[in-house]
Amino acid sequence: MDSRLTALTDWVRQQPGFRQAHPETVSGDASFRRYFRVTGQPDADAPRPFIVMDAPPGKEGVAPFVAIARQWHAEGIHVPAIHAEDREQGFLLLEDFGDELLLDHLNDDNVDHLYGLALKALSHIQATADPVDYPLPPYDAALLDREMALFRDWLLVQHLGLELTDQEHCLLETTFALLKEAALAQPEVPVHRDYHSRNLLVLGDNVDLGVIDFQDAVRGPVTYDLVSLVKDCYIHWPEENIARWIEDFRLLTRDAGLHQADRETFRQWVELMGMQRHLKASGIFARLAIRDGKRRYLEDIPRTVNYLLEASDRQPALRHFYEWLANRVIPLLEKQAA
């Protein structure tokens, strides 16, 4: 028996206009959170759908989500409006953005338009102030280190079964240190931390995007969310598209006063930040498969590691890492996929 679903149902039915609500599963995500859809009539309008978030206390608090949602909503970011909350139980009743993920809408004909909307929304997020009751945590050295360690601990050791030599440990530590230093040197802005095609929803007739899954936001490098979008772990685009979007965003954020980087410097920021991001993501995908039984994420690992290969190939300082990745890791991934 799902005791949390029972408690969630009881709570929803106590809200005005939801007496007969029957929560239906929408999805879970890469965390312990779950989402349900309910139909209600909290005002004079016709019944309409809403989303209920279940965030188990002790595992997923709702306070950051609530604080960030209200701040960003007040500053014009299209995040779900909060209709009711119970922080003690970990329940939120939210505006329903539907099921039209950006990922499912993208094609060669509309990607520039839709990515244009996403880049514009991101530039607005980066200009927001921190919530008064929840200063965004820093994307500090310790967090960067923990994230990159996921690549070593979960992808290399747990997933691929590698027994790393002292030399390989040293290579990874040197690579991680370089990427950490590069990230910490960037101008700091609000960072969504998962700004990609599965956390953006197409609203209306491709005229707006809704932003979700922002509760882990921090204050950190200006290019982090950009690289999450243009080098998305769930879809790959040609280099000419990526380069164009990066330059468009550089100009957009420079004009907003968020940095003063020239084209070459900004692209270097993106490349190194992307490596940190994809080290983290590939490790998380392996952990989700091994620890949580979510094996569908295994199919995203080759694409994510290939971003690491492409980026390190452009960095003379990372030549040894590139060669090791190409000769030691990629063949194991290809063998496993076969």
Side-chain angles (χ1 to χ4, degrees):
M1 181 177 179
D2 190 336
S3 59
R4 284 200 61 80
L5 178 56
T6 300
L8 179 146
T9 302
D10 291 342
W11 176 75
V12 169
R13 290 177 177 176
Q14 294 171 18
Q15 310 309 313
F18 291 87
R19 184 179 298 275
Q20 303 300 320
H22 294 278
E24 297 181 358
T25 301
V26 175
S27 71
D29 59 19
S31 71
F32 293 100
R33 288 181 297 273
R34 297 186 298 175
Y35 299 90
F36 301 87
R37 179 167 282 120
V38 296
T39 299
Q41 191 173 2
D43 46 40
D45 295 334
R48 63 186 189 277
F50 291 78
I51 294 294
V52 186
M53 179 196 292
D54 170 22
K59 295 180 178 179
E60 302 285 345
V62 299
F65 183 97
V66 171
I68 296 167
R70 287 181 171 154
Q71 181 68 34
W72 287 8
H73 189 273
E75 297 201 40
I77 310 301
H78 206 154
V79 296
I82 300 171
H83 292 274
E85 63 180 273
D86 186 326
R87 299 194 188 194
E88 184 175 342
Q89 293 193 83
F91 301 145
L92 296 177
L93 182 63
L94 306 170
E95 178 183 3
D96 187 358
F97 281 167
D99 299 313
E100 302 299 319
L101 296 180
L102 176 61
L103 178 63
D104 299 332
H105 280 252
L106 293 168
N107 58 55
D108 291 338
D109 295 328
N110 67 17
V111 65
D112 278 324
H113 168 66
L114 291 173
Y115 267 42
L117 295 177
L119 294 173
K120 185 177 180 181
L122 178 56
S123 70
H124 289 167
I125 289 172
Q126 292 189 343
T128 59
D130 284 6
V132 174
D133 55 342
Y134 182 73
L136 295 182
Y139 212 149
D140 58 16
L143 180 54
L144 291 164
D145 281 336
R146 288 198 301 272
E147 290 182 343
M148 289 186 286
L150 295 168
F151 173 78
R152 179 194 63 221
D153 298 342
W154 286 96
L155 181 70
L156 300 181
V157 177
Q158 295 287 336
H159 181 55
L160 295 180
L162 283 176
E163 294 185 8
L164 298 172
T165 65
D166 290 343
Q167 185 177 9
E168 288 174 321
H169 276 293
C170 184
L171 174 64
L172 289 173
E173 289 173 5
T174 302
T175 301
F176 294 173
L178 186 154
L179 297 176
K180 176 174 62 177
E181 181 180 2
L184 294 173
Q186 291 189 33
E188 294 185 349
V189 296
V191 175
H192 179 291
R193 282 185 77 195
D194 257 332
Y195 197 81
H196 55 67
S197 60
R198 287 184 177 173
N199 283 333
L200 297 170
L201 290 145
V202 177
L203 307 177
D205 189 16
N206 291 359
V207 297
D208 198 4
L209 297 177
V211 180
I212 61 172
D213 205 20
F214 45 78
Q215 61 282 329
D216 295 324
V218 294
R219 181 165 288 275
V222 68
T223 63
Y224 186 92
D225 285 336
L226 171 64
V227 79
S228 299
L229 180 70
V230 302
K231 294 189 178 187
D232 195 321
C233 294
Y234 306 111
I235 190 169
H236 185 272
W237 299 103
E239 168 59 28
E240 62 186 55
N241 293 54
I242 293 172
R244 183 171 65 253
W245 297 327
I246 291 172
E247 177 61 8
D248 288 346
F249 192 73
R250 180 185 76 87
L251 296 174
L252 193 63
T253 48
R254 185 199 65 183
D255 293 345
L258 300 178
H259 65 84
Q260 293 299 319
D262 59 28
R263 183 173 189 150
E264 182 177 347
T265 299
F266 196 79
R267 182 60 195 254
Q268 179 75 344
W269 287 352
V270 170
E271 292 299 306
L272 296 177
M273 191 74 257
M275 289 190 64
Q276 193 278 342
R277 161 77 181 176
H278 294 124
L279 287 167
K280 164 192 171 181
S282 59
I284 287 176
F285 292 153
R287 186 176 67 183
L288 286 167
I290 296 167
R291 187 191 70 184
D292 304 332
K294 300 178 180 180
R295 298 188 62 82
R296 67 185 183 276
Y297 287 99
L298 291 178
E299 66 188 49
D300 301 310
I301 290 176
R303 183 186 306 108
T304 306
V305 174
N306 194 60
Y307 283 132
L308 285 169
L309 193 68
E310 293 174 349
S312 59
D313 188 29
R314 301 187 183 109
Q315 304 296 324
L318 295 173
R319 174 54 48 182
H320 293 308
F321 176 81
Y322 165 78
E323 293 173 350
W324 171 81
L325 195 66
N327 297 321
R328 180 93 153 112
V329 178
I330 297 296
L332 287 175
L333 286 173
E334 291 176 344
K335 180 180 179 180
Q336 196 172 69

